[in-house]
Structures are given as C-alpha cells and as structure tokens.
Amino acid sequence: MKPRIIVCGLDRTGFKILSLLRQQGCLVVGIHDRPIHQDKVEIIIGDLGAAETLIAAGIRDAQTLILAGADEARNLTILMQARVLNPHVRIINRLFNSSLGIRLDLTLPNHLTMSVAALAAPVFAFSAMGSQAIGQLRLFNQTWPIHEEYIDDHHPWFGKSLSDFWEDRSRMLIYYLPYDESHVDLVSAVLDGRKLQRGDRLLLGTQPSIRTASRPIFQKISKLFMGFRHFHVHGRSVLFTSIALLSTIFSATVVYTSLQKNISLTDALYFAVGMITGAGGNEQVVEHSSNSIKLFTIVMMLIGTAVIGIFYAILNDFILGSRLRNFWDAARVPQRNHIIVCGLGSIGVQTALQLVSYGYEVLVIERDADNRFLETVRSQNIPVLHGDASLPTTLKAANIEKAECLLALTSNDTANLEIALNAKGIAPRCRVIVRYDDPYYATMAQEVFDFEAVLSPPEIAAPAFASSALGGRILGNGIVADSLWVAIATMITPNHPFCGKPVSEASKSADFVPLYIETASQTIHGWNLLEASLSAGDILYLTMPASKLEQLWRVAPFQVAIPS
C-alpha cells in the first residue's frame, strides 16, 4: 500500500507540492481553509489546525504531513495538533527561521525543516552567475547548480559518447532521458558506450566556480573618494552647521583682536571658543572693555548657544543615527562588474549571501530602513543603498550601467517587473533576473519581456518538498519530462538491499545513478565507482526517480546519511 501523504496549506507552493505528488502516483490529500476548484485531487476544507479537519484528512493513518503554508506560527500550531493525533507521523515543516528549525529537528523525531527561501536562493544566485540552473544539488560539501542539456543537430555534444562525461569530476551526470523513450538507465548507457542523439535530454550538475580576482588597491581608494559625491545628501546639514559654527567663532575672534590692541590672536580665539561653547575661560578679554564690546559679547553668546545646540543635535543624529551608516554605504557602492540585489526579503538576503560566498561583489537596494535583515548583510560587508529600486535615479546611483547583473527579488510581482523593465531601459546589456511567484505568469513574462530568467520560488522549492515527503533527507531534486528525480545519500547497512552488490549491478536493478561513494578511507568516483562493491558503513550518493523510492521501502528500511 502506498503511503498516505497530507499537504496542509494550499497556497502556490502547497498546491504545486500536491500536484507533483499526485503526478508521481502518491496517495495524497490536501487541506485548505477555503474551496479550491480541483476535481482530480481530494481536498479537505476547514480550519487547518482543527483536530476534526486533520482527522477527516486521515492524519491517524498518514505517514507524512507537509506543512506548506507561509504562516510559521500556524504551522507550529498544526504540528502540535497533528502530533497529538498521530505521534509517529513524519512532519515536513516549512520554516524560514533556521535556528528554530534546527532546534525542532533535534527535539522532535521524524521532523524535517525546509525553507522555500533556502531552496530558491541558490538557483537565483546561479542564474545571476550565468548558469541556467533549474535546481541544486549538494555534493562534496558544495551546492552545485543543475541544468538540462537538450541535444539537437547543432549541440556540441551531438554524437559524443556518454562515457566521455563519466570521469569528469567537475561535471556530474544526474539523469538521462533518451530520445526514443526507451527504458535505458544511465549506467547501462555509459557502459554500452551509447552516443547522444538528437532529442536526448541530459541533466547535469556542474561544480560552481568561485571568483577570486582581487581589485587593485587604487581602485578601492578611488571608490572611497568617489563615494564622497553622496555627501551632499547624507552630510549636508552637518556641513552647513559646521560652517555656521566656525563663522561665528571667526567673527568673534576678529572683532576682539581688531578693537582691542592688547589682546593676542590666541587669547581672543580661546575666549571666543569658550564663550560660544559655554566652557568659559580667559574672562579678562572683556572685563575692562567698552560697553559696545560687552554688548557684542552678549549677542555672540546668544547666537553661539543656538548654533552650538543645533550643531550638537545634528552631529549626534549623523553619528548615532542612520545618516553616517547611509553615507558609508553610499561611499562603498561598487563601480563596475557587481551584482545588484533589489529587495532584502527572505530570498533576497540568502541570495546576496550566496553570491558573496562565491566571491562576487554585491550591492543591495532596500527601501525599508528598518528591514530586519540589514544587520545580516552588513555583517558580511555588503553595502546597502536605501531607496526605491523601481526609480531610475536609484538604479543609476547603484551604477546599473556598469553592473554585471540585477536581481529583482521583492515580494511584489508587479514591482519586480517595473524594476526589471527600468533596469533594461537604462542598461540594456545588464543581465536581469526576475522573481515572479506565480509559476504560470512567470513563463509568460519570460516570453513577453525576454529577460535572462524569470524564476518562481514555488516552482523551484516544491519538488524538494515533494521529494522529502517520499522519504529521506533530500540532497537535490529536479524534473525532466514531468518525472521527478531525487538525490540522496544512503548509508549501507548490513540489511540494506544494496549491501554486497557491485554498484553497476545495483544501479541497473534499482534504476538509480551512482554519484560517488564515501568509505572510511576514501571517496570513490568515475569508473572505479562502477567497479566497486558496496559494504556496510559506506555512504552511497545517488539519484533516482522519486517514484522508485518505494521499492527500497518494500525491501528494507534504509538510512539516509545527513551531510555535514
């Protein structure tokens, strides 16, 4: 009997998960708080956290519950109610709060935290780096972009043997779909020396490259000096009050030295500063002076008190407030070959951090001065430009004309389109990546506006949730011709169905693609991998169709290794 899976919360992401699981032939039920027009899927309508709703969906007999809603507080409420009704149900919980997710994973058995932002951000980052990524895969302690190659008559790989790609450690073969739709698995095709033909589809993971080029020191210095052109915006008030204060002190000093011949310039300056600042000192300068000098001193005291009060207030606001930080961020705006991230939401912040980790220079544009992720990006020395990214003036201030790429990643689809169109209007050669949450209209936007990429986070993340529902901790996933594949790391135990078998034999019988093996002493890859036999304690990294995972359950429960 197939495991019963419940998807709770059918927003764009939840509904996509439900549809994917149904395509794989799973026994799946959806729960939502309002009616949805869907004839082919069983959907329970009601309060998501109510016991009667969960019971109606079959929670007591369910193997897996996916909490797919965006409301994290409600997901936690549903989690507790579900565990009361079925203490053994496996729960996949959608949470952005990674620290809370880790704590839940450690505290609750059969609990897995997943984040749409964490799954989507690497794909956005890889797209900004020039890779047409459709997914991600965790290999050799790195996140690899996955892309699809469609072989036609003009493709450089047309006529090449699949075995030519097997040994390349920087390019991992993931999935193979032959043009004639024959049921030839990838390992058999490699061993038989099968050549790529027109219509073949090949899924590959490529090792990401890290940019290490350092900028000359004079470029860094020039960028700092060029940033002072922004001073008239952020420090104009400080400059004006400073000029007023110095002018007041200078005027008083000139009057005292010119009208009183026995007063030195130093004494006059000392008295003027003390009088205006309120510190006092050298009172003999005016003690024996004429009444006109004393009246002048009184007026200068009043004017100086007002000027020094305004100066202290503005200086404190500049230093202790946000003006100095805004000025410093503006001074650090990259001059060329940088990547602009517009929108510092959950996806924006993770995309920016991902790009920085690969050595790219990143600039963030965010309109909310109180955004909760500002300290996170600033801790990584990422400059932030405050403003509306849809305005041409803001984009020009970000040096869009010389930028390498712009990512429009706000939570508003219309705003993202406006940002992208303005960016293309100002800098036609700049690569533009657009976030569009609605998967259907994302495809249409790509066709109509011809951006470099229009990506939908629900479309990216849903396969990972669906794959995880089918078993194990998923290292990667993707879709080829409506067929969902998954990547897992399985621990070979003495009762494992693959234990003692050669990798080539096991891969043919179970229709999986071996990636590499981690043993106690070495990592086995390439042709040696196909010749190796699996022993207890080995960790086998593999990809296989999600629909085939069930055959492993029927033979013996398998352990999934958690990567470090």
Side-chain angles (χ1 to χ4, degrees), residues 30-164:
I31 301 178
H32 204 46
D33 53 7
R34 57 186 180 275
I36 295 179
H37 180 67
Q38 180 58 247
D39 298 330
K40 299 181 180 179
V41 180
E42 183 182 356
I43 297 177
I44 306 299
I45 307 300
D47 182 0
L48 302 184
E52 55 270 21
T53 305
L54 292 170
I55 292 172
I59 186 64
R60 288 198 168 107
D61 299 320
Q63 183 200 51
T64 302
L65 171 66
I66 304 176
L67 304 177
D71 189 336
E72 297 187 352
R74 185 162 66 166
N75 286 348
L76 292 174
T77 302
I78 301 169
L79 180 153
M80 291 184 288
Q81 182 64 72
R83 275 295 168 91
V84 170
L85 298 172
N86 184 352
H88 304 292
V89 66
R90 184 167 181 264
I91 294 179
I92 299 173
N93 196 355
R94 176 182 172 181
L95 287 176
F96 175 75
N97 189 331
S98 58
S99 59
L100 174 60
I102 292 172
R103 179 51 53 193
L104 288 172
D105 291 346
L106 295 174
T107 304
L108 300 176
N110 293 324
H111 182 278
L112 175 63
T113 300
M114 300 185 71
S115 166
V116 171
L119 292 166
V123 178
F124 280 99
F126 291 139
S127 297
M129 293 159 59
S131 172
Q132 294 181 338
I134 62 172
Q136 56 174 310
L137 181 62
R138 187 72 181 172
L139 290 176
F140 301 117
N141 296 319
Q142 281 186 307
T143 302
W144 293 35
I146 300 168
H147 66 277
E148 181 182 358
E149 295 285 347
Y150 182 83
I151 309 300
D152 56 24
D153 292 334
H154 305 289
H155 197 284
W157 295 352
F158 177 71
K160 284 193 173 183
S161 175
L162 279 168
S163 58
D164 294 341

Side-chain angles (χ1 to χ4, degrees), residues 332-346:
R332 296 191 300 125
V333 171
Q335 300 302 306
R336 60 178 59 86
N337 299 329
H338 56 290
I339 296 178
I340 303 172
V341 176
C342 303
L344 199 57
S346 57

